[in-house]
Amino acid sequence: MGIDIYAHWRDQTDEAKAKQSEAWLSTGAGGKGYLREAYHGEPYATKYLCAEAFETGKARIKAAVLRERLPHALALVEERERKIYETSDEELEDVKQSYREFVALCEEKEKETAEPVLVIASY
């Protein structure tokens, strides 16, 4: 079990939706609009990065807000990965990169559609 975060945007293609579905359980699919954290212990970077989505299950979150939160979310990723999983530097960088790519995708889609992405938290 875990936390699944999905980014949805206006005019999202079936192909983009399929890529998110295929990424399920992956910790390296931020560029597809998908983040994953298992329930192995705190801190949870997704709960910080996408806080509003945890209030109701989904929320439109401005890309600027995600970008502002990203540095602290990455610090939480590192703390969690080191504490719980004893992750190597290379593996840690892959997880962090997924968060960076998620935020970059949200920025790109907000620019394209002129509206924040809808972030869905499934947990």
Side-chain angles (χ1 to χ4, degrees):
M1 295 187 69
I3 300 168
D4 300 296
I5 302 293
Y6 298 91
H8 288 259
W9 54 90
R10 185 170 25 95
D11 300 327
Q12 186 174 6
T13 65
D14 289 339
E15 180 182 356
K17 290 176 187 176
K19 285 181 181 180
Q20 284 182 340
S21 294
E22 292 166 7
W24 187 65
L25 298 182
S26 170
T27 58
K32 296 175 184 169
Y34 175 78
L35 293 173
R36 167 84 178 167
E37 280 186 308
Y39 281 135
H40 293 144
E42 294 182 340
Y44 294 107
T46 54
K47 288 185 177 182
Y48 175 77
L49 183 66
C50 306
E52 298 86 343
F54 286 87
E55 294 173 13
T56 62
K58 60 185 173 182
R60 291 208 177 273
I61 304 175
K62 291 183 178 183
V65 171
L66 295 172
R67 178 60 64 189
E68 182 179 312
R69 291 178 183 164
L70 183 60
H72 185 66
L74 294 176
L76 294 173
V77 166
E78 182 161 357
E79 179 184 344
R80 175 184 164 82
E81 291 291 320
R82 299 266 191 223
K83 180 172 100 177
I84 296 171
Y85 304 114
E86 299 178 5
T87 301
S88 71
D89 289 344
E90 185 177 318
E91 293 168 322
L92 174 60
E93 185 54 34
D94 288 345
V95 177
K96 285 181 168 183
Q97 186 60 25
S98 184
Y99 280 76
R100 291 183 196 108
E101 289 173 359
F102 181 87
V103 171
L105 176 73
C106 292
E107 288 172 327
E108 175 187 328
K109 296 306 175 184
E110 183 173 316
K111 187 175 181 179
E112 287 175 10
T113 65
E115 65 185 24
V117 299
L118 179 65
V119 177
I120 298 170
S122 176
Y123 53 99

